[in-house]
Amino acid sequence: MLLFTPGPTPVLEDIRSEMAKPTIHHRTPEFEEYFAKARLGLKMILKMPEVLMLASSGSGAMEACIRTFCTKKLLSVNSGKFGERFGKIAKAYNIPNVEIKHNWDTPARMEEILDLIKKDENIDAVAIQVCESAGGLRHPVEEISEAIKSFNPEIFVIADGITAMGVEDIDTRYIDVLIGGSQKAFMLPPGMSIIGLSQKAIEMIEARDIGFYFNLKTELKNQVANTTAWTAPTTIIIGLVKYFEIVESMGGIEKIYEQTKKRALATQNALKSIGLKIYPKIPAIAMSTVIDELNASAIAKILKNDFDVNVAGGQDHLKTSIFRINHMGIIPLNEALWVVNAIELALDKLGVRKFNGCANIAFLESYYA
Ligand SMILES: *Cc1c(COP(=O)(O)O)cnc(C)c1O
């Protein structure tokens, strides 16, 4: 079965065998060496001065960041399930929250965010996804963060980059906090979250001592010394170091960004060539989302049962009307090509459109253009 869901992504054979080696203790020089390499690799990818790794799924880091970086009022962007989650976290901790709510196909606009922070001086943090995975859209985070910082550099910009980190070169110059997760573009098992930090975020962490397990001050103090406050997710960190080695051997992360983008565009061109509609107004690179109220569920089912391809359906009101195809990670071209081929075959089975290999052609013409 080809796993083409936008998280978890498949774990590469080389990473799996690395992680299958006998477990080592986390309070040892051997593990500290792995940890130092993982820190270095992440800082290079994020282009941020500091990074933390936590034993939790991505939502754990989202929670830790809202609690640590918002002291008065949170402005969060809700264009889908993950943006909504920021608001739910604020609510759980009684943090006042204003929300910008959009359809799941619609990215936030810089102007509406500026309007709100100009009107309400209590807003001291803005939380937004880079890629909102519910509908697969890309928010203009770079433009938004730059505008926020030029209006008031004291406002924290918290970006959930879980489906953008390792996918594309995010401009982090105006972002204070960038959240990532092991199970997306790094092609690792679920269980570790990542937080990239700006200088301002580091200072805030030092000044603020909040929470227990997710106390970022405790973590920072330990992690700069290449250890963790609690038992580290050692296996995943060892896998991450292997991931960086693989990326290096392929010519560096820029090569991965370039290939991912080409694959995403080729997939979208292939889908359009067989009459399918891309859902978000601005698609992210991490995934392609197709909207088809009539057939989305049936297509996904045929892909799985007849063609060994596992794509993701939708959530909530979009449960049966969309399906999402992953582009994150290091994906063999022949697999990506098989996916669009299988979708075209599924449309034939459903009697929607006669198969003529058009998706394959459009994919290859786009990829090798
Ligand atoms: C996957 C994902 C998360 C993390 O969810 P967890 O299940 O807690 O790992 C958060 N934000 C986005 C945009 C995601 O795609």
Side-chain angles (χ1 to χ4, degrees):
M1 183 72 69
L2 297 182
L3 183 60
F4 264 80
T5 57
T9 55
V11 181
L12 296 175
E13 175 70 41
D14 281 353
I15 294 182
R16 268 184 287 140
S17 21
E18 188 70 18
M19 293 189 308
K21 289 180 181 165
T23 302
I24 59 170
H25 195 272
H26 56 289
R27 307 283 181 214
T28 56
E30 292 90 318
F31 181 68
E32 283 172 17
E33 203 173 305
Y34 280 115
F35 200 75
K37 283 185 186 162
R39 277 170 52 75
L40 196 69
L42 286 173
K43 284 199 260 185
M44 270 167 53
I45 284 193
L46 304 184
K47 299 180 185 142
M48 294 178 97
E50 197 47 83
V51 69
L52 296 173
M53 286 167 265
L54 306 176
S56 78
S57 84
S59 304
M62 291 169 77
E63 177 170 327
C65 291
I66 296 303
R67 288 199 77 196
T68 307
F69 300 106
C70 181
T71 63
K72 286 193 266 174
K73 195 182 220 178
L74 178 74
L75 169 59
S76 55
V77 173
N78 174 354
S79 289
K81 256 327 226 196
F82 295 98
E84 179 188 53
R85 190 166 300 174
F86 277 128
K88 286 185 171 173
I89 292 168
K91 189 154 178 250
Y93 287 106
N94 296 314
I95 297 166
N97 171 226
V98 275
E99 197 177 60
I100 292 176
K101 204 166 174 185
H102 285 302
N103 275 337
W104 289 16
D105 64 347
T106 308
R109 285 176 302 108
M110 181 263 280
E111 295 79 7
E112 60 185 352
I113 291 176
L114 270 192
D115 272 358
L116 282 170
I117 58 177
K118 280 178 183 165
K119 268 194 227 131
D120 189 343
E121 60 180 31
N122 277 326
I123 295 171
D124 62 350
V126 177
I128 187 169
Q129 275 55 44
V130 180
C131 161
E132 168 53 78
S133 317
L137 67 78
R138 178 67 154 85
H139 286 297
V141 171
E142 286 87 347
E143 188 194 4
I144 289 171
S145 59
E146 184 170 4
I148 292 171
K149 289 294 181 184
S150 58
F151 170 67
N152 179 1
E154 295 307 312
I155 296 175
F156 277 93
V157 177
I158 302 169
D160 166 2
I162 296 184
T163 43
M165 196 182 280
V167 172
E168 53 177 308
D169 192 8
I170 309 160
D171 181 353
T172 52
R173 278 178 300 162
Y174 305 99
I175 294 175
D176 292 297
V177 181
L178 185 69
I179 300 167
S182 55
Q183 80 276 30
K184 307 280 166 95
F186 298 124
M187 310 188 87
L188 297 165
M192 188 173 80
S193 61
I194 294 156
I195 310 176
L197 300 168
S198 70
Q199 197 51 45
K200 186 175 163 56
I202 296 170
E203 285 156 22
M204 182 67 157
I205 288 175
E206 305 275 9
R208 206 159 145 79
D209 198 348
I210 195 164
F212 182 73
Y213 183 79
F214 288 130
N215 185 315
L216 299 185
K217 188 176 180 181
T218 319
E219 281 302 341
L220 184 62
K221 186 169 146 257
N222 281 281
Q223 297 198 15
V224 293
N226 294 322
T227 187
T228 50
W230 324 114
T231 306
T234 47
T235 316
I236 300 177
I237 289 163
I238 289 168
L240 181 60
V241 172
K242 187 71 193 174
Y243 166 83
F244 288 132
E245 278 173 32
I246 295 170
V247 169
E248 241 0 85
S249 75
M250 290 177 67
I253 193 74
E254 270 72 29
K255 268 269 164 350
I256 310 287
Y257 294 156
E258 193 184 298
Q259 287 173 2
T260 309
K261 189 173 180 182
K262 280 206 296 185
R263 231 176 26 247
L265 285 179
T267 302
Q268 280 162 25
N269 285 328
L271 295 168
K272 285 183 209 155
S273 80
I274 49 176
L276 292 172
K277 190 170 173 287
I278 303 296
Y279 174 62
K281 287 179 185 150
I282 313 272
I285 293 170
M287 66 197 75
S288 293
T289 304
V290 169
I291 181 141
D292 186 335
E293 265 108 21
L294 219 56
N295 295 313
S297 280
I299 294 170
K301 206 163 160 193
I302 294 173
L303 289 178
K304 189 163 183 192
N305 293 340
D306 299 352
F307 301 113
D308 280 334
V309 175
N310 192 354
V311 295
Q315 296 156 295
D316 294 356
H317 63 289
L318 293 179
K319 194 166 171 45
T320 57
S321 47
I322 63 168
F323 65 87
R324 294 168 294 159
I325 306 162
N326 174 56
H327 305 305
M328 293 178 279
I330 300 160
I331 298 173
L333 203 53
N334 61 331
E335 290 184 4
L337 201 53
W338 173 245
V339 173
V340 297
N341 203 39
I343 293 169
E344 191 181 344
L345 287 164
L347 290 180
D348 191 323
K349 277 190 177 245
L350 288 167
V352 175
R353 185 187 168 280
K354 191 106 199 80
F355 181 87
N356 62 356
C358 176
N360 246 309
I361 294 169
F363 184 104
L364 289 169
E365 276 179 353
S366 167
Y367 196 90
Y368 291 108

PDB file of all heavy atoms in Angstrom, residues 270-303:
ATOM      1  N   ALA A 270      -1.889  17.290 -13.622  1.00  0.00           N
ATOM      2  CA  ALA A 270      -2.465  15.996 -14.012  1.00  0.00           C
ATOM      3  C   ALA A 270      -3.933  15.925 -13.593  1.00  0.00           C
ATOM      4  O   ALA A 270      -4.790  15.488 -14.359  1.00  0.00           O
ATOM      5  CB  ALA A 270      -1.668  14.865 -13.368  1.00  0.00           C
ATOM      6  N   LEU A 271      -4.230  16.361 -12.375  1.00  0.00           N
ATOM      7  CA  LEU A 271      -5.609  16.303 -11.873  1.00  0.00           C
ATOM      8  C   LEU A 271      -6.533  17.180 -12.717  1.00  0.00           C
ATOM      9  O   LEU A 271      -7.636  16.782 -13.086  1.00  0.00           O
ATOM     10  CB  LEU A 271      -5.650  16.742 -10.407  1.00  0.00           C
ATOM     11  CG  LEU A 271      -4.910  15.827  -9.407  1.00  0.00           C
ATOM     12  CD1 LEU A 271      -4.769  16.501  -8.050  1.00  0.00           C
ATOM     13  CD2 LEU A 271      -5.622  14.481  -9.274  1.00  0.00           C
ATOM     14  N   LYS A 272      -6.036  18.374 -13.044  1.00  0.00           N
ATOM     15  CA  LYS A 272      -6.856  19.285 -13.862  1.00  0.00           C
ATOM     16  C   LYS A 272      -7.085  18.700 -15.247  1.00  0.00           C
ATOM     17  O   LYS A 272      -8.168  18.847 -15.821  1.00  0.00           O
ATOM     18  CB  LYS A 272      -6.161  20.647 -13.980  1.00  0.00           C
ATOM     19  CG  LYS A 272      -6.246  21.480 -12.705  1.00  0.00           C
ATOM     20  CD  LYS A 272      -5.590  22.838 -12.927  1.00  0.00           C
ATOM     21  CE  LYS A 272      -5.017  23.388 -11.641  1.00  0.00           C
ATOM     22  NZ  LYS A 272      -3.910  24.335 -11.867  1.00  0.00           N
ATOM     23  N   SER A 273      -6.068  18.011 -15.768  1.00  0.00           N
ATOM     24  CA  SER A 273      -6.174  17.467 -17.128  1.00  0.00           C
ATOM     25  C   SER A 273      -7.272  16.403 -17.231  1.00  0.00           C
ATOM     26  O   SER A 273      -7.751  16.112 -18.321  1.00  0.00           O
ATOM     27  CB  SER A 273      -4.837  16.879 -17.576  1.00  0.00           C
ATOM     28  OG  SER A 273      -4.655  15.581 -17.023  1.00  0.00           O
ATOM     29  N   ILE A 274      -7.657  15.812 -16.113  1.00  0.00           N
ATOM     30  CA  ILE A 274      -8.752  14.827 -16.159  1.00  0.00           C
ATOM     31  C   ILE A 274     -10.029  15.402 -15.532  1.00  0.00           C
ATOM     32  O   ILE A 274     -10.900  14.680 -15.055  1.00  0.00           O
ATOM     33  CB  ILE A 274      -8.346  13.482 -15.490  1.00  0.00           C
ATOM     34  CG1 ILE A 274      -7.726  13.710 -14.106  1.00  0.00           C
ATOM     35  CG2 ILE A 274      -7.382  12.714 -16.382  1.00  0.00           C
ATOM     36  CD1 ILE A 274      -7.394  12.431 -13.339  1.00  0.00           C
ATOM     37  N   GLY A 275     -10.093  16.713 -15.515  1.00  0.00           N
ATOM     38  CA  GLY A 275     -11.339  17.388 -15.149  1.00  0.00           C
ATOM     39  C   GLY A 275     -11.578  17.550 -13.654  1.00  0.00           C
ATOM     40  O   GLY A 275     -12.679  17.922 -13.245  1.00  0.00           O
ATOM     41  N   LEU A 276     -10.579  17.283 -12.833  1.00  0.00           N
ATOM     42  CA  LEU A 276     -10.795  17.438 -11.390  1.00  0.00           C
ATOM     43  C   LEU A 276     -10.475  18.862 -10.946  1.00  0.00           C
ATOM     44  O   LEU A 276      -9.691  19.569 -11.576  1.00  0.00           O
ATOM     45  CB  LEU A 276      -9.947  16.416 -10.619  1.00  0.00           C
ATOM     46  CG  LEU A 276     -10.392  14.962 -10.810  1.00  0.00           C
ATOM     47  CD1 LEU A 276      -9.390  14.003 -10.172  1.00  0.00           C
ATOM     48  CD2 LEU A 276     -11.795  14.728 -10.234  1.00  0.00           C
ATOM     49  N   LYS A 277     -11.103  19.255  -9.853  1.00  0.00           N
ATOM     50  CA  LYS A 277     -10.975  20.637  -9.395  1.00  0.00           C
ATOM     51  C   LYS A 277     -10.143  20.687  -8.111  1.00  0.00           C
ATOM     52  O   LYS A 277     -10.399  19.943  -7.161  1.00  0.00           O
ATOM     53  CB  LYS A 277     -12.377  21.192  -9.142  1.00  0.00           C
ATOM     54  CG  LYS A 277     -12.403  22.678  -8.893  1.00  0.00           C
ATOM     55  CD  LYS A 277     -13.843  23.215  -8.905  1.00  0.00           C
ATOM     56  CE  LYS A 277     -13.888  24.671  -8.474  1.00  0.00           C
ATOM     57  NZ  LYS A 277     -13.676  24.927  -7.064  1.00  0.00           N
ATOM     58  N   ILE A 278      -9.158  21.586  -8.111  1.00  0.00           N
ATOM     59  CA  ILE A 278      -8.342  21.797  -6.903  1.00  0.00           C
ATOM     60  C   ILE A 278      -9.137  22.689  -5.948  1.00  0.00           C
ATOM     61  O   ILE A 278      -9.680  23.720  -6.349  1.00  0.00           O
ATOM     62  CB  ILE A 278      -6.998  22.471  -7.269  1.00  0.00           C
ATOM     63  CG1 ILE A 278      -6.227  21.627  -8.302  1.00  0.00           C
ATOM     64  CG2 ILE A 278      -6.148  22.733  -6.025  1.00  0.00           C
ATOM     65  CD1 ILE A 278      -5.788  20.264  -7.830  1.00  0.00           C
ATOM     66  N   TYR A 279      -9.213  22.278  -4.691  1.00  0.00           N
ATOM     67  CA  TYR A 279     -10.099  22.960  -3.741  1.00  0.00           C
ATOM     68  C   TYR A 279      -9.623  24.340  -3.267  1.00  0.00           C
ATOM     69  O   TYR A 279     -10.355  25.321  -3.411  1.00  0.00           O
ATOM     70  CB  TYR A 279     -10.353  22.022  -2.553  1.00  0.00           C
ATOM     71  CG  TYR A 279     -11.136  22.649  -1.434  1.00  0.00           C
ATOM     72  CD1 TYR A 279     -12.448  23.102  -1.629  1.00  0.00           C
ATOM     73  CD2 TYR A 279     -10.558  22.819  -0.184  1.00  0.00           C
ATOM     74  CE1 TYR A 279     -13.162  23.698  -0.602  1.00  0.00           C
ATOM     75  CE2 TYR A 279     -11.272  23.413   0.857  1.00  0.00           C
ATOM     76  CZ  TYR A 279     -12.570  23.849   0.640  1.00  0.00           C
ATOM     77  OH  TYR A 279     -13.258  24.444   1.655  1.00  0.00           O
ATOM     78  N   PRO A 280      -8.434  24.471  -2.686  1.00  0.00           N
ATOM     79  CA  PRO A 280      -8.102  25.780  -2.093  1.00  0.00           C
ATOM     80  C   PRO A 280      -7.794  26.850  -3.139  1.00  0.00           C
ATOM     81  O   PRO A 280      -7.316  26.536  -4.228  1.00  0.00           O
ATOM     82  CB  PRO A 280      -6.846  25.482  -1.256  1.00  0.00           C
ATOM     83  CG  PRO A 280      -6.243  24.280  -1.863  1.00  0.00           C
ATOM     84  CD  PRO A 280      -7.350  23.484  -2.487  1.00  0.00           C
ATOM     85  N   LYS A 281      -8.069  28.105  -2.763  1.00  0.00           N
ATOM     86  CA  LYS A 281      -7.793  29.216  -3.685  1.00  0.00           C
ATOM     87  C   LYS A 281      -6.297  29.353  -3.902  1.00  0.00           C
ATOM     88  O   LYS A 281      -5.858  29.680  -4.997  1.00  0.00           O
ATOM     89  CB  LYS A 281      -8.393  30.503  -3.135  1.00  0.00           C
ATOM     90  CG  LYS A 281      -9.907  30.480  -3.261  1.00  0.00           C
ATOM     91  CD  LYS A 281     -10.566  31.730  -2.701  1.00  0.00           C
ATOM     92  CE  LYS A 281     -12.083  31.565  -2.768  1.00  0.00           C
ATOM     93  NZ  LYS A 281     -12.763  32.300  -1.702  1.00  0.00           N
ATOM     94  N   ILE A 282      -5.514  29.169  -2.829  1.00  0.00           N
ATOM     95  CA  ILE A 282      -4.052  29.136  -2.963  1.00  0.00           C
ATOM     96  C   ILE A 282      -3.573  27.793  -2.415  1.00  0.00           C
ATOM     97  O   ILE A 282      -3.507  27.603  -1.204  1.00  0.00           O
ATOM     98  CB  ILE A 282      -3.377  30.277  -2.148  1.00  0.00           C
ATOM     99  CG1 ILE A 282      -4.054  31.630  -2.388  1.00  0.00           C
ATOM    100  CG2 ILE A 282      -1.870  30.301  -2.404  1.00  0.00           C
ATOM    101  CD1 ILE A 282      -3.535  32.429  -3.531  1.00  0.00           C
ATOM    102  N   PRO A 283      -3.268  26.838  -3.296  1.00  0.00           N
ATOM    103  CA  PRO A 283      -2.842  25.525  -2.781  1.00  0.00           C
ATOM    104  C   PRO A 283      -1.447  25.573  -2.162  1.00  0.00           C
ATOM    105  O   PRO A 283      -0.569  26.278  -2.662  1.00  0.00           O
ATOM    106  CB  PRO A 283      -2.837  24.638  -4.030  1.00  0.00           C
ATOM    107  CG  PRO A 283      -3.344  25.457  -5.157  1.00  0.00           C
ATOM    108  CD  PRO A 283      -3.289  26.887  -4.763  1.00  0.00           C
ATOM    109  N   ALA A 284      -1.272  24.844  -1.076  1.00  0.00           N
ATOM    110  CA  ALA A 284       0.055  24.692  -0.480  1.00  0.00           C
ATOM    111  C   ALA A 284       0.830  23.670  -1.299  1.00  0.00           C
ATOM    112  O   ALA A 284       0.259  22.931  -2.098  1.00  0.00           O
ATOM    113  CB  ALA A 284      -0.090  24.224   0.956  1.00  0.00           C
ATOM    114  N   ILE A 285       2.145  23.627  -1.061  1.00  0.00           N
ATOM    115  CA  ILE A 285       2.969  22.664  -1.784  1.00  0.00           C
ATOM    116  C   ILE A 285       2.849  21.274  -1.152  1.00  0.00           C
ATOM    117  O   ILE A 285       3.002  20.254  -1.806  1.00  0.00           O
ATOM    118  CB  ILE A 285       4.443  23.144  -1.810  1.00  0.00           C
ATOM    119  CG1 ILE A 285       4.546  24.417  -2.653  1.00  0.00           C
ATOM    120  CG2 ILE A 285       5.377  22.071  -2.366  1.00  0.00           C
ATOM    121  CD1 ILE A 285       5.872  25.117  -2.563  1.00  0.00           C
ATOM    122  N   ALA A 286       2.522  21.251   0.135  1.00  0.00           N
ATOM    123  CA  ALA A 286       2.537  19.997   0.893  1.00  0.00           C
ATOM    124  C   ALA A 286       1.555  18.943   0.398  1.00  0.00           C
ATOM    125  O   ALA A 286       1.781  17.746   0.576  1.00  0.00           O
ATOM    126  CB  ALA A 286       2.257  20.288   2.368  1.00  0.00           C
ATOM    127  N   MET A 287       0.454  19.399  -0.183  1.00  0.00           N
ATOM    128  CA  MET A 287      -0.568  18.426  -0.585  1.00  0.00           C
ATOM    129  C   MET A 287      -1.428  18.993  -1.710  1.00  0.00           C
ATOM    130  O   MET A 287      -1.508  20.205  -1.877  1.00  0.00           O
ATOM    131  CB  MET A 287      -1.452  18.072   0.618  1.00  0.00           C
ATOM    132  CG  MET A 287      -2.296  19.198   1.126  1.00  0.00           C
ATOM    133  SD  MET A 287      -2.937  18.913   2.800  1.00  0.00           S
ATOM    134  CE  MET A 287      -1.482  19.198   3.809  1.00  0.00           C
ATOM    135  N   SER A 288      -2.063  18.085  -2.458  1.00  0.00           N
ATOM    136  CA  SER A 288      -3.062  18.522  -3.439  1.00  0.00           C
ATOM    137  C   SER A 288      -4.420  18.066  -2.937  1.00  0.00           C
ATOM    138  O   SER A 288      -4.610  16.896  -2.635  1.00  0.00           O
ATOM    139  CB  SER A 288      -2.793  17.898  -4.809  1.00  0.00           C
ATOM    140  OG  SER A 288      -1.586  18.406  -5.335  1.00  0.00           O
ATOM    141  N   THR A 289      -5.349  19.018  -2.869  1.00  0.00           N
ATOM    142  CA  THR A 289      -6.693  18.701  -2.395  1.00  0.00           C
ATOM    143  C   THR A 289      -7.677  18.828  -3.549  1.00  0.00           C
ATOM    144  O   THR A 289      -7.752  19.880  -4.189  1.00  0.00           O
ATOM    145  CB  THR A 289      -7.093  19.660  -1.260  1.00  0.00           C
ATOM    146  OG1 THR A 289      -6.097  19.576  -0.240  1.00  0.00           O
ATOM    147  CG2 THR A 289      -8.452  19.298  -0.680  1.00  0.00           C
ATOM    148  N   VAL A 290      -8.399  17.744  -3.797  1.00  0.00           N
ATOM    149  CA  VAL A 290      -9.397  17.732  -4.869  1.00  0.00           C
ATOM    150  C   VAL A 290     -10.776  17.853  -4.246  1.00  0.00           C
ATOM    151  O   VAL A 290     -11.073  17.175  -3.261  1.00  0.00           O
ATOM    152  CB  VAL A 290      -9.323  16.408  -5.668  1.00  0.00           C
ATOM    153  CG1 VAL A 290     -10.521  16.268  -6.611  1.00  0.00           C
ATOM    154  CG2 VAL A 290      -8.019  16.327  -6.446  1.00  0.00           C
ATOM    155  N   ILE A 291     -11.616  18.744  -4.802  1.00  0.00           N
ATOM    156  CA  ILE A 291     -13.011  18.784  -4.345  1.00  0.00           C
ATOM    157  C   ILE A 291     -13.896  18.158  -5.413  1.00  0.00           C
ATOM    158  O   ILE A 291     -13.791  18.472  -6.599  1.00  0.00           O
ATOM    159  CB  ILE A 291     -13.485  20.209  -3.974  1.00  0.00           C
ATOM    160  CG1 ILE A 291     -14.936  20.161  -3.495  1.00  0.00           C
ATOM    161  CG2 ILE A 291     -13.337  21.194  -5.132  1.00  0.00           C
ATOM    162  CD1 ILE A 291     -15.250  21.057  -2.348  1.00  0.00           C
ATOM    163  N   ASP A 292     -14.737  17.228  -4.973  1.00  0.00           N
ATOM    164  CA  ASP A 292     -15.683  16.568  -5.861  1.00  0.00           C
ATOM    165  C   ASP A 292     -16.800  16.021  -4.976  1.00  0.00           C
ATOM    166  O   ASP A 292     -16.692  14.917  -4.434  1.00  0.00           O
ATOM    167  CB  ASP A 292     -14.970  15.436  -6.628  1.00  0.00           C
ATOM    168  CG  ASP A 292     -15.864  14.802  -7.681  1.00  0.00           C
ATOM    169  OD1 ASP A 292     -17.106  14.863  -7.525  1.00  0.00           O
ATOM    170  OD2 ASP A 292     -15.324  14.235  -8.648  1.00  0.00           O
ATOM    171  N   GLU A 293     -17.838  16.845  -4.788  1.00  0.00           N
ATOM    172  CA  GLU A 293     -18.911  16.480  -3.847  1.00  0.00           C
ATOM    173  C   GLU A 293     -19.493  15.102  -4.142  1.00  0.00           C
ATOM    174  O   GLU A 293     -19.823  14.347  -3.248  1.00  0.00           O
ATOM    175  CB  GLU A 293     -20.040  17.517  -3.861  1.00  0.00           C
ATOM    176  CG  GLU A 293     -19.912  18.571  -2.767  1.00  0.00           C
ATOM    177  CD  GLU A 293     -19.515  19.927  -3.326  1.00  0.00           C
ATOM    178  OE1 GLU A 293     -19.720  20.151  -4.535  1.00  0.00           O
ATOM    179  OE2 GLU A 293     -18.988  20.754  -2.548  1.00  0.00           O
ATOM    180  N   LEU A 294     -19.596  14.815  -5.434  1.00  0.00           N
ATOM    181  CA  LEU A 294     -20.242  13.567  -5.851  1.00  0.00           C
ATOM    182  C   LEU A 294     -19.340  12.348  -5.624  1.00  0.00           C
ATOM    183  O   LEU A 294     -19.773  11.323  -5.107  1.00  0.00           O
ATOM    184  CB  LEU A 294     -20.591  13.695  -7.346  1.00  0.00           C
ATOM    185  CG  LEU A 294     -21.918  13.121  -7.799  1.00  0.00           C
ATOM    186  CD1 LEU A 294     -23.052  13.728  -6.988  1.00  0.00           C
ATOM    187  CD2 LEU A 294     -22.110  13.416  -9.295  1.00  0.00           C
ATOM    188  N   ASN A 295     -18.079  12.481  -6.014  1.00  0.00           N
ATOM    189  CA  ASN A 295     -17.241  11.271  -6.147  1.00  0.00           C
ATOM    190  C   ASN A 295     -16.029  11.164  -5.224  1.00  0.00           C
ATOM    191  O   ASN A 295     -15.352  10.133  -5.251  1.00  0.00           O
ATOM    192  CB  ASN A 295     -16.740  11.165  -7.596  1.00  0.00           C
ATOM    193  CG  ASN A 295     -17.877  10.953  -8.575  1.00  0.00           C
ATOM    194  OD1 ASN A 295     -18.741  10.109  -8.350  1.00  0.00           O
ATOM    195  ND2 ASN A 295     -17.903  11.742  -9.622  1.00  0.00           N
ATOM    196  N   ALA A 296     -15.724  12.194  -4.451  1.00  0.00           N
ATOM    197  CA  ALA A 296     -14.451  12.173  -3.702  1.00  0.00           C
ATOM    198  C   ALA A 296     -14.286  10.899  -2.875  1.00  0.00           C
ATOM    199  O   ALA A 296     -13.236  10.248  -2.918  1.00  0.00           O
ATOM    200  CB  ALA A 296     -14.334  13.409  -2.817  1.00  0.00           C
ATOM    201  N   SER A 297     -15.323  10.536  -2.137  1.00  0.00           N
ATOM    202  CA  SER A 297     -15.225   9.352  -1.283  1.00  0.00           C
ATOM    203  C   SER A 297     -15.043   8.081  -2.087  1.00  0.00           C
ATOM    204  O   SER A 297     -14.241   7.211  -1.741  1.00  0.00           O
ATOM    205  CB  SER A 297     -16.479   9.193  -0.427  1.00  0.00           C
ATOM    206  OG  SER A 297     -16.395  10.037   0.664  1.00  0.00           O
ATOM    207  N   ALA A 298     -15.813   7.986  -3.184  1.00  0.00           N
ATOM    208  CA  ALA A 298     -15.747   6.793  -4.029  1.00  0.00           C
ATOM    209  C   ALA A 298     -14.359   6.669  -4.663  1.00  0.00           C
ATOM    210  O   ALA A 298     -13.798   5.569  -4.743  1.00  0.00           O
ATOM    211  CB  ALA A 298     -16.828   6.857  -5.100  1.00  0.00           C
ATOM    212  N   ILE A 299     -13.801   7.801  -5.080  1.00  0.00           N
ATOM    213  CA  ILE A 299     -12.456   7.768  -5.680  1.00  0.00           C
ATOM    214  C   ILE A 299     -11.443   7.255  -4.653  1.00  0.00           C
ATOM    215  O   ILE A 299     -10.650   6.347  -4.928  1.00  0.00           O
ATOM    216  CB  ILE A 299     -12.034   9.168  -6.212  1.00  0.00           C
ATOM    217  CG1 ILE A 299     -12.927   9.587  -7.389  1.00  0.00           C
ATOM    218  CG2 ILE A 299     -10.564   9.174  -6.634  1.00  0.00           C
ATOM    219  CD1 ILE A 299     -12.750  11.041  -7.826  1.00  0.00           C
ATOM    220  N   ALA A 300     -11.500   7.818  -3.445  1.00  0.00           N
ATOM    221  CA  ALA A 300     -10.557   7.411  -2.398  1.00  0.00           C
ATOM    222  C   ALA A 300     -10.676   5.916  -2.097  1.00  0.00           C
ATOM    223  O   ALA A 300      -9.684   5.224  -1.882  1.00  0.00           O
ATOM    224  CB  ALA A 300     -10.779   8.242  -1.134  1.00  0.00           C
ATOM    225  N   LYS A 301     -11.903   5.427  -2.116  1.00  0.00           N
ATOM    226  CA  LYS A 301     -12.147   4.021  -1.818  1.00  0.00           C
ATOM    227  C   LYS A 301     -11.566   3.104  -2.907  1.00  0.00           C
ATOM    228  O   LYS A 301     -10.894   2.112  -2.618  1.00  0.00           O
ATOM    229  CB  LYS A 301     -13.664   3.802  -1.712  1.00  0.00           C
ATOM    230  CG  LYS A 301     -14.071   2.643  -0.847  1.00  0.00           C
ATOM    231  CD  LYS A 301     -15.537   2.760  -0.479  1.00  0.00           C
ATOM    232  CE  LYS A 301     -16.064   1.404  -0.047  1.00  0.00           C
ATOM    233  NZ  LYS A 301     -17.528   1.418   0.011  1.00  0.00           N
ATOM    234  N   ILE A 302     -11.794   3.494  -4.156  1.00  0.00           N
ATOM    235  CA  ILE A 302     -11.245   2.703  -5.272  1.00  0.00           C
ATOM    236  C   ILE A 302      -9.717   2.724  -5.247  1.00  0.00           C
ATOM    237  O   ILE A 302      -9.054   1.710  -5.476  1.00  0.00           O
ATOM    238  CB  ILE A 302     -11.787   3.224  -6.626  1.00  0.00           C
ATOM    239  CG1 ILE A 302     -13.297   2.970  -6.716  1.00  0.00           C
ATOM    240  CG2 ILE A 302     -11.058   2.574  -7.802  1.00  0.00           C
ATOM    241  CD1 ILE A 302     -13.970   3.589  -7.933  1.00  0.00           C
ATOM    242  N   LEU A 303      -9.163   3.902  -4.929  1.00  0.00           N
ATOM    243  CA  LEU A 303      -7.698   4.012  -4.878  1.00  0.00           C
ATOM    244  C   LEU A 303      -7.134   3.000  -3.898  1.00  0.00           C
ATOM    245  O   LEU A 303      -6.133   2.339  -4.161  1.00  0.00           O
ATOM    246  CB  LEU A 303      -7.278   5.428  -4.457  1.00  0.00           C
ATOM    247  CG  LEU A 303      -7.492   6.546  -5.475  1.00  0.00           C
ATOM    248  CD1 LEU A 303      -7.066   7.887  -4.891  1.00  0.00           C
ATOM    249  CD2 LEU A 303      -6.709   6.269  -6.756  1.00  0.00           C
TER     250      LEU A 303
END
